[in-house]
Amino acid sequence: MSLTIPFMHPAAAAEGGHGEGDETIADVVMHHISNADLHLWPFDLVAPFSKAALFMLIAAGVLILLLGYAFRRSRINSGAAPKGLTNAMESVVVFVRDNIAIANMGKKYGRKFTPFLCTLFFFILTCNLLGMVPGGYTATSNLNVTGTLALITLLTMILSGIIVMGPVGYCKHMVPPGTPLVIAPLMIVIEVIGTFVKPIALTIRLGANMTAGHIVILVMLSFVFIFQNVFVGLFVSVPMAVAVSLLELIVAFIQAYVFTLLSAIFIGMMVHSTH
């Protein structure tokens, strides 16, 4: 059956027919995943305020409160072993430091970039999880958000390479030693393209994965309206939607890890390109 079967607007239903207010399943899906502008005073007096911007602010606020509370207790009880929330947060930080940063950058640069990578991981994870809350929105499903995060990684890559190798050395690293002079310009073009392809891959990977899961969940739930059958709703639609939701919960952690890992690899390739 087609996914264009309409959800009847209440006014149209009262008239006994389909009116201009009818919504298709595609309309409902797009309403939930699109980055619509919100009218929030006083923000709308300055510029349009989108759902992505709102939930990024919520994610930032949650992280400030959560991490501030966890590590405030750690500072107060500095002589005791961490426990509870503090222990959980420290475990994640240690994992990012040892298994992502140091593993791909070495001890020297890994420790320096651990704060940056932890910020990426916690922020992306929180944005991903907020999308699982009823009425929430996944900011990382918007390509503007993921593109900005990828752009930050790109700038970090370039600046790190310039700082470590110097401006001249950064330009020289684009041409591998022993490359014939004839094909050197081609190698520079390939290297520049490769540099800018990396953030594009980061942008699309995160955005597409976080969007796809929500679309699948909404489509599963729409089976109730398509078939209008209690059996389908109770034994097919809802169980499948729950299963996909659990999968999305796992994907939220995996995508935060993958984005952070790839960022560490790309930056590590730059700071170690002289070796």
Side-chain angles (χ1 to χ4, degrees), residues 12 15 38 88-89 95 104 113 175 179-180 217 232 235-236 261 273:
E15 296 173 0
L38 303 175
M89 294 296 101
F95 173 81
N104 294 284
F113 282 98
V175 181
T179 302
I217 293 172
V232 173
F235 298 102
V236 179
L261 175 63
S273 62

Side-chain angles (χ1 to χ4, degrees), residues 245-255:
S245 296
L246 294 176
L247 180 62
E248 271 294 282
L249 189 60
I250 299 173
V251 170
F253 284 87
I254 292 176
Q255 290 305 315

Side-chain angles (χ1 to χ4, degrees), residues 1-24:
M1 297 183 69
S2 172
L3 291 181
T4 58
I5 295 178
F7 292 103
M8 290 183 65
H9 191 275
E15 296 173 0
H18 300 298
E20 294 181 357
D22 292 354
E23 285 187 320
T24 66

Side-chain angles (χ1 to χ4, degrees), residues 40 43 49-65 123 126-127 130 139:
L40 299 175
F43 299 106
F49 199 79
S50 65
K51 290 192 293 185
L54 174 63
F55 278 91
M56 282 194 292
L57 286 177
I58 294 175
V62 169
L63 285 175
I64 290 172
L65 294 175
F123 181 74
T126 305
C127 288
L130 284 176

Side-chain angles (χ1 to χ4, degrees), residues 45-91:
L45 298 178
V46 180
F49 199 79
S50 65
K51 290 192 293 185
L54 174 63
F55 278 91
M56 282 194 292
L57 286 177
I58 294 175
V62 169
L63 285 175
I64 290 172
L65 294 175
L66 188 65
L67 296 175
Y69 175 76
F71 293 108
R72 181 189 65 84
R73 295 183 59 185
S74 177
R75 290 195 300 271
I76 293 175
N77 304 311
S78 57
K83 58 182 179 180
L85 179 62
T86 303
N87 187 42
M89 294 296 101
E90 285 194 8
S91 299

